[in-house]
Amino acid sequence: MVDIRRLPRANNSFEELRINNQIYVDHSDLIFEFAYLSGPNFLSRPRRFGKSLLVSTLESLFSHGTNFFKGLKIEKLWDESEKGKTYRVIHLDFSSFSYISPSDFDAKIYDLLDKTAGDLNFTRTKNSGTYKSDALLKDIIASDPRDFVLLIDEYDYPLTHSLGDKTLFEAYRDFLQGFFGAIKSLSGKMRFIFITGVGRFAKTSVFSQLNNLRDLGLEAKFAHLLGYTEEDMYQYFDEYVENAAVILNISKEECFAQIKTHYDGYRFHADNEIMLHNPWSVLNFLSTPEQGFKNFWYETGGSYPTLIAKYIKSIQETPLETLKKVRISKDDLDIFYDYFDTPTVSLLYQTGYLSLRPEYVDDLAITRYFLCPPNLEVKSALSKLYLKQVRDTPITEDDEDTAVALKADFKKQNFENLIKHFNVILNSFGFDNKVAFTDERNCRDFIDLAMSVAGINSRKEVICAEGRSDLIVEMPGKRYVFEFKLAKAKAQEEKLLEEATEQCNDKHYGEIIPLKELTRIAVVINAEDKAISQWRIVD
């Protein structure tokens, strides 16, 4: 019987986690690599990826030395002279309090700093400017230079939450520019500075004066600082995965594979190939495995629908293809923009909707890079938002019912019902989309989109030894291959059904690693009827 209480929760601080003997995935050797030096540091990562726990870990390290790090990698690395040394830590989380304007934001920061100032005996500078928190920060640091550590979590929270109001956005940006300008003047007077955020804009106007900032995201060795590697999953969570497998009545190996499919796939540097699981989603799943492989990241606010909505509108000509795979140069990943000038695809990369993938071109000896959804969880979120934009309506109860039905059809292998639900999907697009039935790929793409909305692991154009199958659906222990043909007239149906059947057999569709129980289905769609007219299980 596993102890679920040992799994961390979102609101756990590092010290609470250690006191309660909860699991801490130890990447503290990477923390040492930047924390032993002075100077300001910056790291961007998607929401729900462990930034706040990292800040809490740094707060403990500088507040109490290595007292809470017994047995962790950094304990042996941390300099002996530092182990007994403690600092005053100023921790500002810009997402932890509410505000409606830059002046209100400034007042809230001032109140937080005032609590620190209350413990010190110094004369405050009179401030006649619009904002006063930066002046108080300067006074605090000047009272005892080199005795302070400054930690700022979610620096861009006011910016990302005012994207719909450019005037307000620019007011927040101007305030932050001044605030970080004050930090620049203090950077040599503090032991350590660390800043986190979702947006990677460390060299743009927000940070224009903080030009000595070290962006850890540009260094390959820090790519796996946050998130869980595959090795971490086996080392720290093996018994919890086994528990989930028992509850879901699948093998432990299959459970690991499903976790990987749903929550793995993040890669944060072109020169670091390590793939990462989303900690939030993994911990939520392992805590409540009876709920199945839910979309935890999106359902808990880990995304920015306004960004993907903007992106979808910009690619209306070829949305389904572009949504899943976007070409990008390696150099573009390191370019800094300001928010309103940033290509939406870059924002999607930073916010976690898209992840980096290489494509090796052996004969040219080059590597091309693409951005694509990292996993099924994010692919499902993208598909739901795309569907809303295409139809200009939210996901309906009918959509949810269809999604549930699709899963049940595959589980029960009820192919009669499955084909009926495919027709429901095709008809949801057929009357308001002129290109829906002009090409079999469009029909396949709509069915694939519905699979993604349902959280079903489907893949298009899957390569095998003899060719590419139209659509493959992966289930625990089972694989389903669909070959689609589009008949423009009734007379073509029989011939196209035979062609689809022969392709499945002759090209050995679905016979790929790992080997699974295989079902191949030939499908003919009639363009005039806007529905599947014939289908066959291929022997």
PDB file of all heavy atoms in Angstrom, residues 474-493:
ATOM      1  N   GLU A 474      -3.562   4.429 -30.803  1.00  0.00           N
ATOM      2  CA  GLU A 474      -2.880   3.573 -29.839  1.00  0.00           C
ATOM      3  C   GLU A 474      -3.696   3.464 -28.565  1.00  0.00           C
ATOM      4  O   GLU A 474      -4.092   4.464 -27.973  1.00  0.00           O
ATOM      5  CB  GLU A 474      -1.498   4.145 -29.506  1.00  0.00           C
ATOM      6  CG  GLU A 474      -0.561   4.325 -30.688  1.00  0.00           C
ATOM      7  CD  GLU A 474       0.043   3.015 -31.171  1.00  0.00           C
ATOM      8  OE1 GLU A 474      -0.277   1.958 -30.593  1.00  0.00           O
ATOM      9  OE2 GLU A 474       0.841   3.053 -32.124  1.00  0.00           O
ATOM     10  N   MET A 475      -3.950   2.218 -28.152  1.00  0.00           N
ATOM     11  CA  MET A 475      -4.620   1.926 -26.895  1.00  0.00           C
ATOM     12  C   MET A 475      -3.753   0.944 -26.103  1.00  0.00           C
ATOM     13  O   MET A 475      -2.866   0.309 -26.681  1.00  0.00           O
ATOM     14  CB  MET A 475      -6.008   1.316 -27.157  1.00  0.00           C
ATOM     15  CG  MET A 475      -7.005   2.296 -27.754  1.00  0.00           C
ATOM     16  SD  MET A 475      -7.561   3.465 -26.500  1.00  0.00           S
ATOM     17  CE  MET A 475      -8.671   4.492 -27.473  1.00  0.00           C
ATOM     18  N   PRO A 476      -3.986   0.820 -24.796  1.00  0.00           N
ATOM     19  CA  PRO A 476      -3.192  -0.146 -24.028  1.00  0.00           C
ATOM     20  C   PRO A 476      -3.268  -1.545 -24.630  1.00  0.00           C
ATOM     21  O   PRO A 476      -4.342  -2.151 -24.695  1.00  0.00           O
ATOM     22  CB  PRO A 476      -3.848  -0.103 -22.639  1.00  0.00           C
ATOM     23  CG  PRO A 476      -4.423   1.269 -22.537  1.00  0.00           C
ATOM     24  CD  PRO A 476      -4.897   1.596 -23.932  1.00  0.00           C
ATOM     25  N   GLY A 477      -2.143  -2.031 -25.144  1.00  0.00           N
ATOM     26  CA  GLY A 477      -2.072  -3.370 -25.695  1.00  0.00           C
ATOM     27  C   GLY A 477      -2.700  -3.531 -27.067  1.00  0.00           C
ATOM     28  O   GLY A 477      -2.647  -4.624 -27.640  1.00  0.00           O
ATOM     29  N   LYS A 478      -3.291  -2.481 -27.619  1.00  0.00           N
ATOM     30  CA  LYS A 478      -4.004  -2.591 -28.892  1.00  0.00           C
ATOM     31  C   LYS A 478      -3.637  -1.426 -29.822  1.00  0.00           C
ATOM     32  O   LYS A 478      -3.334  -0.330 -29.351  1.00  0.00           O
ATOM     33  CB  LYS A 478      -5.516  -2.618 -28.683  1.00  0.00           C
ATOM     34  CG  LYS A 478      -6.027  -3.830 -27.912  1.00  0.00           C
ATOM     35  CD  LYS A 478      -7.540  -3.782 -27.759  1.00  0.00           C
ATOM     36  CE  LYS A 478      -8.076  -5.062 -27.123  1.00  0.00           C
ATOM     37  NZ  LYS A 478      -7.568  -5.270 -25.750  1.00  0.00           N
ATOM     38  N   ARG A 479      -3.693  -1.708 -31.116  1.00  0.00           N
ATOM     39  CA  ARG A 479      -3.423  -0.680 -32.122  1.00  0.00           C
ATOM     40  C   ARG A 479      -4.470  -0.797 -33.228  1.00  0.00           C
ATOM     41  O   ARG A 479      -4.778  -1.892 -33.701  1.00  0.00           O
ATOM     42  CB  ARG A 479      -2.021  -0.852 -32.698  1.00  0.00           C
ATOM     43  CG  ARG A 479      -1.681   0.133 -33.813  1.00  0.00           C
ATOM     44  CD  ARG A 479      -0.231  -0.028 -34.266  1.00  0.00           C
ATOM     45  NE  ARG A 479       0.682   0.372 -33.202  1.00  0.00           N
ATOM     46  CZ  ARG A 479       1.722  -0.365 -32.779  1.00  0.00           C
ATOM     47  NH1 ARG A 479       1.977  -1.535 -33.343  1.00  0.00           N
ATOM     48  NH2 ARG A 479       2.503   0.069 -31.814  1.00  0.00           N
ATOM     49  N   TYR A 480      -5.022   0.344 -33.615  1.00  0.00           N
ATOM     50  CA  TYR A 480      -6.039   0.394 -34.665  1.00  0.00           C
ATOM     51  C   TYR A 480      -5.515   1.242 -35.819  1.00  0.00           C
ATOM     52  O   TYR A 480      -5.054   2.365 -35.611  1.00  0.00           O
ATOM     53  CB  TYR A 480      -7.337   0.983 -34.121  1.00  0.00           C
ATOM     54  CG  TYR A 480      -7.899   0.211 -32.959  1.00  0.00           C
ATOM     55  CD1 TYR A 480      -7.552   0.541 -31.644  1.00  0.00           C
ATOM     56  CD2 TYR A 480      -8.764  -0.859 -33.157  1.00  0.00           C
ATOM     57  CE1 TYR A 480      -8.050  -0.172 -30.568  1.00  0.00           C
ATOM     58  CE2 TYR A 480      -9.277  -1.584 -32.092  1.00  0.00           C
ATOM     59  CZ  TYR A 480      -8.909  -1.241 -30.790  1.00  0.00           C
ATOM     60  OH  TYR A 480      -9.403  -1.952 -29.729  1.00  0.00           O
ATOM     61  N   VAL A 481      -5.596   0.700 -37.025  1.00  0.00           N
ATOM     62  CA  VAL A 481      -5.139   1.394 -38.228  1.00  0.00           C
ATOM     63  C   VAL A 481      -6.346   1.681 -39.109  1.00  0.00           C
ATOM     64  O   VAL A 481      -7.159   0.790 -39.372  1.00  0.00           O
ATOM     65  CB  VAL A 481      -4.110   0.554 -39.001  1.00  0.00           C
ATOM     66  CG1 VAL A 481      -3.723   1.257 -40.299  1.00  0.00           C
ATOM     67  CG2 VAL A 481      -2.879   0.298 -38.156  1.00  0.00           C
ATOM     68  N   PHE A 482      -6.458   2.926 -39.568  1.00  0.00           N
ATOM     69  CA  PHE A 482      -7.543   3.318 -40.468  1.00  0.00           C
ATOM     70  C   PHE A 482      -6.950   3.806 -41.792  1.00  0.00           C
ATOM     71  O   PHE A 482      -6.036   4.635 -41.803  1.00  0.00           O
ATOM     72  CB  PHE A 482      -8.386   4.436 -39.853  1.00  0.00           C
ATOM     73  CG  PHE A 482      -9.104   4.027 -38.593  1.00  0.00           C
ATOM     74  CD1 PHE A 482      -8.500   4.179 -37.355  1.00  0.00           C
ATOM     75  CD2 PHE A 482     -10.377   3.462 -38.650  1.00  0.00           C
ATOM     76  CE1 PHE A 482      -9.145   3.792 -36.190  1.00  0.00           C
ATOM     77  CE2 PHE A 482     -11.027   3.071 -37.498  1.00  0.00           C
ATOM     78  CZ  PHE A 482     -10.416   3.238 -36.258  1.00  0.00           C
ATOM     79  N   GLU A 483      -7.476   3.267 -42.875  1.00  0.00           N
ATOM     80  CA  GLU A 483      -7.106   3.739 -44.204  1.00  0.00           C
ATOM     81  C   GLU A 483      -8.365   4.328 -44.839  1.00  0.00           C
ATOM     82  O   GLU A 483      -9.369   3.631 -45.036  1.00  0.00           O
ATOM     83  CB  GLU A 483      -6.561   2.599 -45.059  1.00  0.00           C
ATOM     84  CG  GLU A 483      -6.121   3.026 -46.447  1.00  0.00           C
ATOM     85  CD  GLU A 483      -4.965   4.029 -46.432  1.00  0.00           C
ATOM     86  OE1 GLU A 483      -4.187   4.033 -45.457  1.00  0.00           O
ATOM     87  OE2 GLU A 483      -4.863   4.791 -47.414  1.00  0.00           O
ATOM     88  N   PHE A 484      -8.330   5.635 -45.138  1.00  0.00           N
ATOM     89  CA  PHE A 484      -9.499   6.344 -45.643  1.00  0.00           C
ATOM     90  C   PHE A 484      -9.425   6.546 -47.154  1.00  0.00           C
ATOM     91  O   PHE A 484      -8.348   6.841 -47.701  1.00  0.00           O
ATOM     92  CB  PHE A 484      -9.627   7.717 -44.971  1.00  0.00           C
ATOM     93  CG  PHE A 484      -9.886   7.654 -43.492  1.00  0.00           C
ATOM     94  CD1 PHE A 484      -8.848   7.801 -42.583  1.00  0.00           C
ATOM     95  CD2 PHE A 484     -11.171   7.448 -43.011  1.00  0.00           C
ATOM     96  CE1 PHE A 484      -9.081   7.740 -41.225  1.00  0.00           C
ATOM     97  CE2 PHE A 484     -11.422   7.395 -41.645  1.00  0.00           C
ATOM     98  CZ  PHE A 484     -10.371   7.542 -40.750  1.00  0.00           C
ATOM     99  N   LYS A 485     -10.576   6.432 -47.794  1.00  0.00           N
ATOM    100  CA  LYS A 485     -10.715   6.775 -49.204  1.00  0.00           C
ATOM    101  C   LYS A 485     -11.970   7.646 -49.349  1.00  0.00           C
ATOM    102  O   LYS A 485     -12.964   7.431 -48.648  1.00  0.00           O
ATOM    103  CB  LYS A 485     -10.869   5.525 -50.078  1.00  0.00           C
ATOM    104  CG  LYS A 485      -9.671   4.592 -50.044  1.00  0.00           C
ATOM    105  CD  LYS A 485      -8.439   5.226 -50.654  1.00  0.00           C
ATOM    106  CE  LYS A 485      -7.248   4.258 -50.603  1.00  0.00           C
ATOM    107  NZ  LYS A 485      -6.013   4.882 -51.135  1.00  0.00           N
ATOM    108  N   LEU A 486     -11.900   8.615 -50.266  1.00  0.00           N
ATOM    109  CA  LEU A 486     -13.033   9.514 -50.498  1.00  0.00           C
ATOM    110  C   LEU A 486     -13.635   9.238 -51.870  1.00  0.00           C
ATOM    111  O   LEU A 486     -12.964   9.392 -52.894  1.00  0.00           O
ATOM    112  CB  LEU A 486     -12.589  10.974 -50.409  1.00  0.00           C
ATOM    113  CG  LEU A 486     -13.702  12.015 -50.559  1.00  0.00           C
ATOM    114  CD1 LEU A 486     -14.670  11.958 -49.373  1.00  0.00           C
ATOM    115  CD2 LEU A 486     -13.097  13.418 -50.674  1.00  0.00           C
ATOM    116  N   ALA A 487     -14.893   8.827 -51.891  1.00  0.00           N
ATOM    117  CA  ALA A 487     -15.599   8.568 -53.149  1.00  0.00           C
ATOM    118  C   ALA A 487     -16.393   9.800 -53.549  1.00  0.00           C
ATOM    119  O   ALA A 487     -17.206  10.307 -52.769  1.00  0.00           O
ATOM    120  CB  ALA A 487     -16.538   7.370 -52.982  1.00  0.00           C
ATOM    121  N   LYS A 488     -16.140  10.287 -54.763  1.00  0.00           N
ATOM    122  CA  LYS A 488     -16.890  11.446 -55.253  1.00  0.00           C
ATOM    123  C   LYS A 488     -18.269  11.034 -55.791  1.00  0.00           C
ATOM    124  O   LYS A 488     -19.156  11.867 -55.929  1.00  0.00           O
ATOM    125  CB  LYS A 488     -16.105  12.149 -56.364  1.00  0.00           C
ATOM    126  CG  LYS A 488     -14.743  12.674 -55.914  1.00  0.00           C
ATOM    127  CD  LYS A 488     -14.859  13.772 -54.877  1.00  0.00           C
ATOM    128  CE  LYS A 488     -13.500  14.260 -54.402  1.00  0.00           C
ATOM    129  NZ  LYS A 488     -12.718  14.916 -55.451  1.00  0.00           N
ATOM    130  N   ALA A 489     -18.413   9.716 -56.088  1.00  0.00           N
ATOM    131  CA  ALA A 489     -19.692   9.206 -56.589  1.00  0.00           C
ATOM    132  C   ALA A 489     -19.906   7.796 -56.040  1.00  0.00           C
ATOM    133  O   ALA A 489     -18.950   7.096 -55.679  1.00  0.00           O
ATOM    134  CB  ALA A 489     -19.705   9.190 -58.114  1.00  0.00           C
ATOM    135  N   LYS A 490     -21.159   7.381 -56.020  1.00  0.00           N
ATOM    136  CA  LYS A 490     -21.525   6.083 -55.459  1.00  0.00           C
ATOM    137  C   LYS A 490     -20.813   4.942 -56.171  1.00  0.00           C
ATOM    138  O   LYS A 490     -20.386   3.951 -55.558  1.00  0.00           O
ATOM    139  CB  LYS A 490     -23.050   5.907 -55.581  1.00  0.00           C
ATOM    140  CG  LYS A 490     -23.622   4.715 -54.847  1.00  0.00           C
ATOM    141  CD  LYS A 490     -23.733   4.988 -53.364  1.00  0.00           C
ATOM    142  CE  LYS A 490     -24.427   3.837 -52.646  1.00  0.00           C
ATOM    143  NZ  LYS A 490     -24.427   4.032 -51.169  1.00  0.00           N
ATOM    144  N   ALA A 491     -20.637   5.071 -57.471  1.00  0.00           N
ATOM    145  CA  ALA A 491     -20.051   3.995 -58.275  1.00  0.00           C
ATOM    146  C   ALA A 491     -18.598   3.699 -57.915  1.00  0.00           C
ATOM    147  O   ALA A 491     -18.075   2.620 -58.247  1.00  0.00           O
ATOM    148  CB  ALA A 491     -20.158   4.355 -59.760  1.00  0.00           C
ATOM    149  N   GLN A 492     -17.931   4.620 -57.244  1.00  0.00           N
ATOM    150  CA  GLN A 492     -16.508   4.436 -56.907  1.00  0.00           C
ATOM    151  C   GLN A 492     -16.302   3.650 -55.613  1.00  0.00           C
ATOM    152  O   GLN A 492     -15.190   3.210 -55.326  1.00  0.00           O
ATOM    153  CB  GLN A 492     -15.832   5.806 -56.754  1.00  0.00           C
ATOM    154  CG  GLN A 492     -15.823   6.652 -58.004  1.00  0.00           C
ATOM    155  CD  GLN A 492     -15.204   8.019 -57.725  1.00  0.00           C
ATOM    156  OE1 GLN A 492     -15.493   8.652 -56.715  1.00  0.00           O
ATOM    157  NE2 GLN A 492     -14.340   8.469 -58.630  1.00  0.00           N
ATOM    158  N   GLU A 493     -17.336   3.482 -54.820  1.00  0.00           N
ATOM    159  CA  GLU A 493     -17.181   2.991 -53.451  1.00  0.00           C
ATOM    160  C   GLU A 493     -16.538   1.603 -53.369  1.00  0.00           C
ATOM    161  O   GLU A 493     -15.590   1.389 -52.609  1.00  0.00           O
ATOM    162  CB  GLU A 493     -18.528   2.987 -52.736  1.00  0.00           C
ATOM    163  CG  GLU A 493     -19.051   4.385 -52.449  1.00  0.00           C
ATOM    164  CD  GLU A 493     -20.434   4.367 -51.799  1.00  0.00           C
ATOM    165  OE1 GLU A 493     -20.955   3.252 -51.556  1.00  0.00           O
ATOM    166  OE2 GLU A 493     -20.994   5.445 -51.545  1.00  0.00           O
TER     167      GLU A 493
END
